[in-house]
């Protein structure tokens, strides 16, 4: 890569001639017209080297104090101040993916919505909050996949139904378990709660064959036949004061936990990962590729570089996500 005008005199624009080297082994130049001599700095190469070093530091584990060798941390900040303005952006190729996992991570006052395959990041989008409209904006950038794995947030499901109506959904089993555990607690006070929690634990441990799936569904149906009347019990208030309700379900958490599992079965979002005829790839049963593979790593990076402004934190997230894309290019391509 040659900088335009590098071999020409800055004063008279005449062509320069090599004139030996300095003690630091730097090329010395001489103008044949105005007889000026001196060295010519390759600012383009300096910017490339600085940006490469900046990205390596940003994605590494060293602090500014640990990074410095022959310069101060203030010198480092001065040299790399312009690098924060370089924004890496994912390239939308239009490729159709069989499996896409989607999730978000909050960074300061904004949320980064992330879409990835089991092997690489595809696209990301900064928004102020998660809703069906913001998720729809992300999904519209990508062709509809065969399977989408998500945590079941209402805005995500609504956006999927609108933008990818033919795509099958696999709900994250770990998020399902977290919801059930919150509603039942780890120490239910009723026999019905103990049995339903046991079914949820079986779901978390992993159901790997269709025979085990059918057995699990029968156990859930048997639970409903046994405790169906129990979860319908109501508690009434003698003299309610409007707008206070007259009654509520006595076992509200237990009822909600069962209805969640029942709805997931009816919507066919619980055991999609066992339907091997849908794709040639192994269908993930959780969003761990995003939660553990990206989000947890980002939180570690942000902790290592704590003290950054919100804008700089977003730049760190963008460079990290770009480093996880399939056909990433060197940072110098963004200059």
């Amino acid at each position: 890569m040659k900088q335009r005008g590098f071999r020409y005199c800055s004063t008279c624009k005449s062509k320069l001639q090599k004139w030996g080297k300095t003690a630091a082994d730097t090329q010395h130049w001489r103008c044949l017209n105005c007889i000026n001599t001196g060295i010519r700095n390759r600012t383009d190469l300096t910017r490339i080297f600085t940006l490469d070093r900046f990205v390596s530091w940003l994605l590494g584990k060293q602090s500014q104090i640990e990074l410095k060798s022959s310069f101060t941390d203030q010198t480092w900040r001065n040299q790399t101040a312009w690098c924060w303005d370089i924004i890496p952006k994912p390239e939308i190729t239009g490729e159709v993916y069989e499996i896409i996992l989607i999730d978000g991570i909050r960074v300061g006052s904004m949320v980064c919505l992330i879409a990835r395959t089991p092997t690489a990041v595809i696209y990301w989008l900064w928004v102020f909050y998660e809703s069906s409209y913001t998720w729809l904006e992300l999904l519209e950038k990508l062709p509809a996949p065969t399977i989408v794995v998500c945590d079941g947030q209402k805005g995500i499901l609504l956006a999927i139904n609108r933008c990818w109506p033919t795509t099958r959904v696999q709900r994250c089993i770990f998020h399902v378990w977290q919801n059930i555990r919150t509603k039942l607690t780890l120490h239910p006070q009723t026999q019905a709660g103990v049995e339903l929690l046991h079914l949820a634990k079986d779901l978390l441990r992993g159901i790997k064959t269709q025979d085990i799936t059918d057995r699990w569904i029968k156990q859930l149906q048997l639970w409903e036949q046994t405790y169906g009347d129990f979860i319908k019990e109501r508690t009434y208030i003698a003299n309610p004061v409007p707008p206070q309700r007259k009654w509520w379900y006595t076992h509200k958490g237990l009822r909600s936990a069962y209805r969640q599992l029942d709805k997931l079965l009816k919507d066919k979002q619980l055991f999609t990962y066992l339907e091997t005829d849908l794709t040639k790839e192994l269908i993930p049963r959780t969003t761990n590729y995003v939660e553990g593979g990206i989000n947890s790593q980002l939180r570690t990076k942000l902790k290592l570089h704590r003290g950054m402004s919100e804008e700089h934190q977003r730049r760190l997230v963008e460079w990290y996500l770009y480093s996880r894309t399939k056909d990433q290019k060197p940072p110098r391509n963004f200059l």
Side-chain angles (χ1 to χ4, degrees), residues 92-315:
I92 301 177
T93 61
E95 181 180 352
V96 180
Y97 302 95
E98 289 190 326
I99 301 172
I100 290 181
L101 302 94
I102 56 177
D103 202 359
I105 179 173
R106 175 164 289 278
V107 180
S109 62
M110 299 192 71
V111 179
C112 185
L113 308 182
I114 304 170
R116 67 160 298 171
T117 66
T119 57
V121 173
I122 307 173
Y123 194 75
W124 64 86
L125 180 69
W126 287 104
V127 297
F128 287 102
Y129 53 87
E130 290 188 62
S131 69
S132 60
Y133 298 103
T134 55
W135 278 110
L136 193 61
E137 186 178 354
L138 174 74
L139 301 186
E140 286 176 343
K141 304 288 186 182
L142 307 171
T146 306
I147 304 292
V148 61
V149 184
C150 65
D151 59 10
Q153 195 249 5
K154 291 183 179 180
I156 294 178
L157 297 177
L158 187 57
I160 292 173
N161 290 334
R162 289 179 179 176
C163 189
W164 297 342
T166 60
T167 299
R168 293 290 304 277
V169 176
Q170 169 61 53
R171 291 284 294 275
C172 175
I173 299 298
F174 182 73
H175 281 87
V176 173
W177 157 252
Q178 283 186 317
N179 293 337
I180 300 299
R181 184 186 63 183
T182 300
K183 294 171 181 177
L184 297 179
T185 75
L186 291 176
H187 303 284
Q189 300 302 308
T190 63
Q191 183 62 28
V194 171
E195 293 182 11
L196 190 62
L197 184 67
H198 181 72
L199 287 174
K201 286 183 178 179
D202 289 342
L203 193 66
L204 180 65
R205 294 187 185 104
I207 297 178
K208 300 180 180 179
T209 64
Q210 192 60 48
D211 292 339
I212 301 177
T213 301
D214 295 338
R215 194 180 312 127
W216 188 90
I217 293 174
K218 289 180 180 178
Q219 290 176 350
L220 185 64
Q221 292 172 346
L222 180 61
W223 186 95
E224 195 278 332
Q225 293 174 6
T226 305
Y227 300 104
D229 295 334
F230 181 71
I231 61 177
K232 293 178 183 178
E233 292 180 0
R234 301 180 179 183
T235 299
Y236 290 87
I237 299 178
N239 298 307
V241 178
Q244 189 178 9
R245 292 183 57 181
K246 297 181 179 179
W247 62 270
W248 62 85
Y249 287 107
T250 305
H251 311 286
K252 184 178 179 181
L254 180 62
R255 176 185 173 86
S256 178
Y258 165 74
R259 286 171 63 86
Q260 179 181 350
L261 293 176
D262 185 56
K263 188 176 186 305
L264 288 173
L265 279 177
K266 291 179 179 178
D267 294 342
K268 297 182 179 180
Q269 297 180 2
L270 201 56
F271 299 110
T272 308
Y273 68 93
L274 292 175
E275 301 180 31
T276 55
D277 57 322
L278 294 176
T279 67
K280 298 178 181 179
E281 304 178 38
L282 181 65
I283 303 173
R285 56 194 292 268
T286 68
T287 56
N288 192 51
Y289 284 102
V290 183
E291 288 282 354
I294 293 180
N295 290 1
S296 64
Q297 302 297 323
L298 282 175
R299 292 187 182 97
T300 302
K301 299 292 183 186
L302 291 170
K303 185 177 180 180
L304 288 170
H305 297 295
R306 57 187 176 275
M308 286 183 175
S309 65
E310 215 173 281
E311 183 181 356
H312 289 181
Q313 289 179 13
R314 291 197 295 270
R315 203 66 70 244

Side-chain angles (χ1 to χ4, degrees), residues 61-69:
K61 298 181 179 180
Q62 289 182 316
S63 65
Q64 292 183 12
I65 297 178
E66 295 171 338
L67 181 70
K68 68 180 184 181
S69 53

